[in-house]
Amino acid sequence: MFSEWKFTAKDIAEKADLFMSGHRACAGCAAATVMRLVLKAVRGPIIATSATGCMEVVSSIYPYTSWATPWIHTAFENVAANASGIEAALKILKKKGRIKQQRIDVIAFAGDGGTYDIGIQALSGAVERGHDFLYVLYDNEAYMNTGIQRSGGTPHGASTTTSPAGTVIPGKVQYKKPIADIMVAHDMPYVATASPHYWRDLITKARKGIEVDGPAFLHTFAPCPRGWRSDPSKSIEISRIAVETCIFPLWEAINGEYQLSAPSKVIALRPERKKPVREYLKMQGRFRHLFTPKFEKIIDEIQQLTDKRWQRLLKKCGIV
Amino acid sequence: MTVQEKSWKEIPPAGICWKPSTEYLTGDWKTYKPIMDSEKCTRCTLCVIFCPDGAIHWNPGKEDIEFDYDFCKGCGICANECPTKAIEMKLE
Ligand SMILES: Cc1ncc(C[n+]2csc(CCOP(=O)(O)OP(=O)(O)O)c2C)c(N)n1
Ligand code: SF4
Ligand SMILES: [Mg+2]
């Protein structure tokens, strides 16, 4: 099903960026690293498309473009519809002999707002219709581009401008929607989670998503120093600790069969390596209020929820 | 074909961004500048891989790491991730 693609760090370092320098993401933006790394996984020509959001805005401030490949942006809610149209057009143009390239891959990029919330209808439809494309969610866990509003991907207890921690609520009251599981439930060929610290795992999964026939969904974790109120130099470290605490476990589901990826498997086999969620939370200002007597019990809730979801994942992976 | 520069108000609704952002330098955003100690660096290229701005390059000819200060925003990810602590962030 997948080719044997072996690469070294230097191969990746040497490969030209399709998401070019001069983009205007904040200093330390891990979403920008995710964009660069996903695009290092291409096997040939691609057409990319983005939903409205930080990675679209920072890469297309007129007259500048950071895309060293054909790229289309239309609206916030419909990136998967864009991808569907591109893929369908390529098919017919190939059939009519109007384009020479044997294979042009289609990759869609969207944030959490553009995926969990407003974009889910277009995404669900595109997957149900079976279009051959890779959908990359870069999850910075809020509507960052418009000023840190909470989304369906914002975790419990995070303070955002529309779920502000104060005297009434402890940050977001609701829980993070398990979007990747929702995609697996579409019975699609390939779904995976990835975190930029584990760059090799991320690039390998992006390539698999590109290679697979039919739709693929890649849920990437993207620490945002602006919205998470975290040190810009710590974005990649946070993306590691999210995995080590099992806040964001790494796995893939090939034709619906779940399997843990190496960084999370290590923790499953040696549970003493699983770090407490505190270590993750304390690095981010959006959780600062949880370290006060008033809201401290929310940390226990987050730990319990994380453990519950981790156990559920282990069961799905056949490890219990 | 010559490209005429038009303002965003003059272009049609489906406009095209045509200038590569590599002509837009973001290097002046930085407060701290990464300085690499060549002796400590093992050329693992992790900094090249993690840099959000693609501002660190691997030069295969020279077999060396090169910082592109025209784009480096000074985030410090490279210094934080360097396994041998070969990069230090210095006030510009
Ligand atoms: C229909 C519509 N509603 C609202 C907006 C305004 N808007 C632009 S980007 C954005 C938030 C994007 O959030 P997300 O998808 O998480 O991406 P991020 O900015 O965090 O990268 C919003 C609300 C819009 N462009 N279109
Ligand atoms: S607000 Fe966050 S996601 Fe958006 S460019 Fe800045 S760091 Fe990146
Ligand atoms: Mg977002």
Side-chain angles (χ1 to χ4, degrees):
Chain A
M1 188 167 179
F2 304 115
S3 70
E4 277 292 309
W5 180 39
K6 294 227 171 3
F7 55 86
T8 64
K10 288 191 178 71
D11 294 336
I12 297 305
E14 243 175 89
K15 202 164 171 178
D17 276 317
L18 294 187
F19 192 78
M20 295 185 292
S21 303
H23 65 69
R24 282 180 248 183
C26 307
C29 173
T33 301
V34 166
M35 300 298 291
R36 288 186 56 236
L37 295 183
V38 166
L39 290 164
K40 298 267 189 182
V42 302
R43 57 179 171 174
I46 64 155
I47 298 180
T49 177
S50 296
T52 313
C54 278
M55 290 306 104
E56 169 266 324
V57 170
V58 303
S59 65
S60 62
I61 296 177
Y62 186 81
Y64 298 99
T65 174
S66 303
W67 294 86
T69 184
W71 173 79
I72 305 171
H73 162 248
T74 60
F76 185 20
E77 58 273 38
N78 63 353
V79 74
N82 282 351
S84 306
I86 296 165
E87 189 254 5
L90 287 172
K91 242 189 205 162
I92 196 76
L93 289 171
K94 255 181 251 170
K95 202 170 155 190
K96 290 185 173 174
R98 298 255 304 271
I99 45 176
K100 285 193 249 10
Q101 286 93 337
Q102 269 306 302
R103 191 173 56 205
I104 299 174
D105 294 311
V106 180
I107 310 181
F109 294 92
D112 48 295
T115 304
Y116 289 80
D117 300 343
I118 198 169
I120 199 166
Q121 45 81 17
L123 172 58
S124 182
V127 170
E128 184 267 332
R129 291 189 301 274
H131 291 286
D132 184 11
F133 74 114
L134 167 64
Y135 187 105
V136 180
L137 155 62
Y138 66 92
D139 192 355
N140 56 18
E141 302 193 317
Y143 294 68
M144 293 309 177
N145 174 58
T146 41
I148 326 175
Q149 292 86 14
R150 55 83 87 197
S151 78
T154 304
H156 186 53
S159 188
T160 71
T161 54
T162 49
S163 64
T167 51
V168 184
I169 55 163
K172 187 180 163 184
V173 178
Q174 301 83 358
Y175 301 93
K176 188 178 174 77
K177 204 199 274 190
I179 190 74
D181 293 317
I182 293 171
M183 296 321 296
V184 176
H186 282 69
D187 208 359
M188 61 191 290
Y190 190 75
V191 177
T193 67
S195 176
H197 173 82
Y198 303 95
W199 57 274
R200 183 180 287 283
D201 179 70
L202 188 152
I203 294 171
T204 306
K205 286 170 173 170
R207 172 57 79 87
K208 285 182 178 178
I210 291 167
E211 284 183 352
V212 81
D213 275 330
F217 183 82
L218 182 62
H219 181 181
T220 66
F221 195 69
C224 159
R226 180 69 191 85
W228 296 13
R229 316 264 182 220
S230 53
D231 180 337
S233 70
K234 300 284 181 190
S235 298
I236 298 298
E237 187 177 332
I238 292 172
S239 83
R240 168 169 59 82
I241 296 175
V243 174
E244 292 174 338
T245 52
C246 300
I247 290 255
F248 193 85
L250 301 184
W251 52 269
E252 55 189 353
I254 302 170
N255 293 321
E257 295 290 327
Y258 279 79
Q259 60 185 62
L260 282 183
S261 308
S264 286
K265 201 164 187 177
V266 169
I267 297 166
L269 298 178
R270 303 188 51 187
E272 70 277 9
R273 293 207 184 170
K274 182 162 166 287
K275 292 187 174 166
V277 295
R278 253 169 205 282
E279 291 200 23
Y280 171 76
L281 302 173
K282 73 179 183 204
M283 299 178 80
Q284 305 167 52
R286 64 177 173 158
F287 297 118
R288 187 179 296 128
H289 56 285
L290 301 183
F291 293 85
T292 61
K294 186 173 165 62
F295 291 132
E296 220 172 15
K297 68 174 200 309
I298 303 287
I299 298 184
D300 300 330
E301 274 180 36
I302 295 172
Q303 185 66 62
Q304 282 158 17
L305 178 75
T306 304
D307 294 347
K308 189 177 88 181
R309 289 189 172 182
W310 172 242
Q311 286 307 321
R312 201 186 282 162
L313 175 64
L314 292 182
K315 258 189 212 156
K316 286 179 189 162
C317 296
I319 309 172
V320 195
Chain B
M1 193 181 76
T2 54
V3 190
Q4 229 179 334
E5 187 149 8
K6 286 186 176 175
S7 85
W8 64 270
K9 287 179 185 163
E10 295 165 300
I11 59 170
I16 290 178
C17 292
W18 49 273
K19 218 179 210 181
S21 66
T22 44
E23 290 177 31
Y24 184 89
L25 309 186
T26 52
D28 60 355
W29 294 17
K30 70 172 105 32
T31 310
Y32 292 91
K33 184 177 181 174
I35 306 290
M36 190 191 76
D37 179 339
S38 236
E39 308 248 294
K40 283 191 194 166
C41 169
T42 60
R43 277 70 178 166
C44 73
T45 71
L46 280 180
C47 56
V48 181
I49 288 170
F50 290 136
C51 175
D53 292 288
I56 314 175
H57 304 292
W58 168 246
N59 183 329
K62 288 191 193 158
E63 298 228 323
D64 210 356
I65 304 283
E66 288 169 355
F67 284 78
D68 190 341
Y69 295 115
D70 278 348
F71 296 104
C72 167
K73 295 170 186 162
C75 70
I77 284 180
C78 53
N80 195 64
E81 298 307 320
C82 175
T84 61
K85 296 282 159 245
I87 302 170
E88 199 188 327
M89 299 304 291
K90 292 209 167 122
L91 197 64
E92 266 229 294

